[in-house]
Amino acid sequence: MSDDFLVHFRGVRGSIPTPPRPSQIKDKVKKVLELASADDIKDEASIENFLQSIPFHLHGFIGGNTTCIQMKVGGHHLFFDAGSGSFPMAQDLLRAEFGRCKGRAHWFFTHTHHDHIMGLPMFGPLYVPGNHFTILSPYNNLRERFIRNQHPEFFPVNFSDLGSTIEFVQLEDSGNNNSYQIGDVTVRWMENDHPGRSFSYRVEYQGKAAILATDAEYKELDPIKLQPVIDFFYGADLLIFDAQYAFTESVEMKRDWGHSSSFVGIDLALDAEVKRLALFHHEPTFDDFKLIHNLDRAKLYLRKNGGDEDLELFIAREDLILNM
């Protein structure tokens, strides 16, 4: 594998940022101490080996920042959404070409609900003259939305006063066969069922494909009605899927809220012959133990459906980097 197609999870939480509470940190420390033996903590090397041997959610956090995905594809920077996860991304970018007035990126937006744009006003590279951003979405008024988001009543710097060069591109807003070309990279999109409209994106490069399908609800589970979705997902190497709710919640309690579940994601991924499925847009009231419990339930569902050898299932977590 090369580094020509990297996917970096910067923000994985849904609805609102959820920094860990002190009680949650204490619960993790207790669990780690229960697992450790005297040999595991006798020196720095043994401690490091022990921490690497236990589940990742015990020595770290799945993440509390809202949606932001960073991709480096064919030498191009592609960003998706600007939730609070875009702030740590900005700090890393400023240490490279975006801090030297030479950064260029294409930034795609699924929609403009607050949890997907709240990081934009604090995104440092936007303030640096010489940087160039192409901002894309099927919305016909995205620039106006961002201007309203930084009205002086809400933020001290107007969007129109940012130092970088910002170009807006409105993507075609009809059909599912539209595409946008960035060198050898192809980006396709599809409208989701979500309040206020939202869009999924598919990135293709040299026979590989990664999809971000968040803030999407799938009410009609009839395979015929789902065929356009399956076609859009088909053969993807990675599907980042909105699994905010448990299946029973999404069907019985939170219909029309615009989100989905791991069970629906598994069914769609199997039908579309997807290789890897990342559960994403985590419910803000769920701590890491609850999220891992839901992942275990999802793996059981996958196994019972005979798909555990065909589909790799995992939970999206902050700073996870995948090489496609």
Side-chain angles (χ1 to χ4, degrees):
M1 287 188 180
S2 68
D3 293 337
D4 287 344
F5 198 153
L6 298 177
V7 179
H8 191 160
F9 292 89
R10 293 293 192 166
V12 298
R13 187 70 62 165
S15 301
I16 192 169
T18 53
R21 300 172 65 180
S23 60
Q24 294 173 336
I25 296 175
K26 181 180 178 181
D27 289 342
K28 290 198 179 209
V29 172
K30 287 171 59 178
K31 186 63 176 178
V32 170
L33 291 175
E34 290 172 359
L35 295 174
S37 68
D39 287 339
D40 292 324
I41 56 174
K42 62 184 179 181
D43 54 36
E44 185 174 342
S46 61
I47 292 172
E48 182 62 30
N49 289 334
F50 168 66
L51 290 177
Q52 293 302 316
S53 71
I54 63 177
F56 68 86
H57 68 282
L58 294 180
H59 60 74
F61 286 91
I62 291 172
N65 279 310
T66 59
T67 299
C68 182
I69 300 292
Q70 177 184 6
M71 297 188 191
K72 187 72 176 291
V73 190
H76 301 280
H77 288 285
L78 277 65
F79 307 152
F80 295 85
D81 286 350
S84 61
S86 64
F87 183 75
M89 178 174 76
Q91 307 313 297
D92 290 344
L93 292 172
L94 286 170
R95 288 189 282 268
E97 67 264 40
F98 287 87
R100 300 192 297 269
C101 310
K102 297 180 179 180
R104 298 185 65 87
H106 288 76
W107 205 333
F108 295 85
F109 282 83
T110 64
H111 63 312
T112 56
H113 283 168
H114 195 52
D115 54 321
H116 292 253
I117 64 169
M118 62 173 57
L120 203 60
M122 295 291 291
F123 191 79
L126 285 173
Y127 292 77
V128 178
N131 287 341
H132 186 284
F133 295 90
T134 303
I135 296 181
L136 308 97
S137 167
Y139 291 117
N140 63 4
N141 64 342
L142 193 59
R143 183 176 186 275
E144 288 74 15
R145 294 183 186 209
F146 289 166
I147 290 173
R148 291 200 301 271
N149 185 53
Q150 291 182 219
H151 187 278
E153 292 181 352
F154 309 120
F155 196 76
V157 181
N158 290 322
F159 185 83
S160 56
D161 292 335
L162 298 176
S164 62
T165 300
I166 303 175
E167 173 190 6
F168 283 85
V169 173
Q170 182 185 354
L171 302 173
E172 290 290 335
D173 190 13
S174 61
N176 293 329
N177 295 315
N178 299 312
S179 65
Y180 184 86
Q181 208 70 27
I182 307 169
D184 294 331
V185 181
T186 302
V187 181
R188 306 182 190 278
W189 56 95
M190 178 183 69
E191 184 169 355
N192 301 328
D193 183 354
H194 188 76
R197 306 181 77 201
S198 176
F199 297 87
S200 293
Y201 291 99
R202 177 183 177 118
V203 180
E204 301 171 347
Y205 177 71
Q206 293 188 346
K208 298 288 185 177
I211 296 172
L212 173 61
T214 190
D215 293 70
E217 186 172 3
Y218 307 92
K219 299 188 186 77
E220 301 294 339
L221 300 181
D222 184 329
I224 295 177
K225 294 183 178 180
L226 284 174
Q227 193 60 50
V229 177
I230 294 171
D231 290 343
F232 187 77
F233 291 173
Y234 193 81
D237 297 274
L238 172 67
L239 171 59
I240 304 168
F241 188 84
D242 182 332
Q244 181 160 343
Y245 302 136
F247 179 73
T248 52
E249 287 181 316
S250 62
V251 172
E252 299 172 5
M253 300 167 55
K254 297 180 178 179
R255 186 178 176 87
D256 298 326
W257 286 32
H259 301 286
S260 191
S261 70
S262 59
F263 289 8
V264 172
I266 289 169
D267 289 342
L268 290 171
L270 290 176
D271 288 343
E273 299 184 18
V274 169
K275 297 178 178 63
R276 289 187 283 183
L277 174 62
L279 305 182
F280 185 73
H281 205 269
H282 308 313
E283 164 63 35
T285 63
F286 292 168
D287 65 13
D288 285 3
F289 292 108
K290 175 67 172 177
L291 291 175
I292 293 300
H293 171 72
N294 287 347
L295 174 63
D296 290 338
R297 290 182 60 200
K299 288 181 175 179
L300 178 60
Y301 179 82
L302 176 62
R303 189 161 57 249
K304 286 185 175 180
N305 281 273
D308 52 325
E309 294 185 0
D310 301 315
L311 177 66
E312 179 187 345
L313 176 65
F314 61 98
I315 194 164
R317 65 183 190 271
E318 281 181 33
D319 276 339
L320 173 65
I321 301 175
L322 301 179
N323 191 328
M324 303 298 295

